Amino acid sequence: MAISKTRNFVSIGYPESLKENWREILAETCVPCIVSPLHDKDVNPDGEPKKPHYHIMIMFDNTKRIEQAQEIFDSIGAIKCQMVKSTRGQARYFCHLDNPEKHQYNILDVSNYGGADYQTLIELPSDKFSVIAEMMDFCDDNDCYSFCELARYARNHQEQWFRCLCSNGAMFMKEYLKTLAWERRS
């Protein structure tokens, strides 16, 4: 039996078919939604450029029929409403995070509406380890021994580092900085 309802749906919007105020319309629905950067560097398997487009995912609090989601997509001029099987997988596809053979779009260019949080959607537990490794390298290369200095730098220049420090990477980095300072003074 096919699933007739789900919470999350995705669509594609072409710049020339989207309404002029499509982003405002999405915001006014108050439905959590994320919009990819403009995919203007995608190519078909034969090497021909794909038509520039946006990926748009809406995430309802309760299950909805596809027709209900299609109403929202129709209101902005988007096409091809589909049910989403994996919210994280779909969100990561918006920037091709798991497809290194495709153009990599900047995660900071994803738009959030209705309380959606793209960063939280795409996070994998393993991401924390690479972020911590980047911070360690930064501290080693810049003689940074102060957690305060690292936190300020992260807040102003590295959002992923700052998120990691605020969630659960702080204890590790404090210990790393303390022993790094001790090691360099010895």
Side-chain angles (χ1 to χ4, degrees):
M1 185 168 153
I3 297 173
S4 60
K5 290 184 174 183
T6 191
R7 291 177 43 202
N8 307 307
F9 299 86
V10 68
S11 185
I12 292 177
Y14 295 102
E16 64 276 6
S17 64
L18 290 167
K19 292 187 177 175
E20 188 175 322
N21 64 337
W22 67 278
R23 291 179 183 273
E24 291 81 19
I25 294 170
L26 278 178
E28 288 170 3
T29 68
C30 297
V31 174
C33 173
I34 58 172
V35 177
S36 74
L38 179 63
H39 279 225
D40 57 355
K41 294 178 179 50
D42 291 358
V43 293
N44 290 313
D46 64 3
E48 286 295 312
K50 286 187 179 182
K51 188 175 181 179
H53 60 280
Y54 295 95
H55 295 275
I56 306 159
M57 182 166 55
I58 54 177
M59 301 164 286
F60 294 103
D61 292 333
N62 300 306
T63 59
K64 301 289 182 190
R65 293 182 326 275
I66 197 165
E67 295 83 12
Q68 292 170 294
Q70 186 67 57
E71 284 179 28
I72 292 175
F73 292 134
D74 286 345
S75 74
I76 64 169
I79 62 165
K80 287 188 174 178
C81 178
Q82 296 178 327
M83 293 179 169
V84 171
K85 293 181 179 141
S86 167
T87 306
R88 177 181 285 148
Q90 186 67 56
R92 291 180 64 81
Y93 184 76
F94 278 26
C95 293
H96 298 152
L97 299 178
D98 300 316
N99 304 90
E101 73 284 1
K102 295 184 177 192
H103 179 79
Q104 300 295 296
Y105 294 97
N106 189 334
I107 62 174
L108 299 177
D109 293 335
V110 172
S111 301
N112 300 282
Y113 300 95
D117 183 357
Y118 183 70
Q119 293 287 335
T120 300
L121 284 171
I122 64 170
E123 284 179 359
L124 297 173
S126 59
D127 292 342
K128 177 177 82 170
F129 302 118
S130 60
V131 169
I132 287 175
E134 288 175 15
M135 288 189 285
M136 291 170 64
D137 290 343
F138 172 82
C139 293
D140 289 344
D141 296 343
N142 294 285
D143 294 323
C144 175
Y145 311 113
S146 164
F147 182 78
C148 180
E149 180 183 342
L150 175 62
R152 280 189 191 124
Y153 179 83
R155 186 185 77 202
N156 293 322
H157 303 287
Q158 295 285 346
E159 182 181 346
Q160 287 184 304
W161 294 9
F162 189 67
R163 290 171 68 93
C164 179
L165 290 173
C166 291
S167 58
N168 57 11
M171 181 182 279
F172 177 87
M173 287 308 299
K174 284 180 185 177
E175 289 301 312
Y176 183 77
L177 292 170
K178 183 174 20 171
T179 55
L180 179 64
W182 176 81
E183 182 181 88
R184 298 249 171 116
R185 289 183 187 130
S186 298

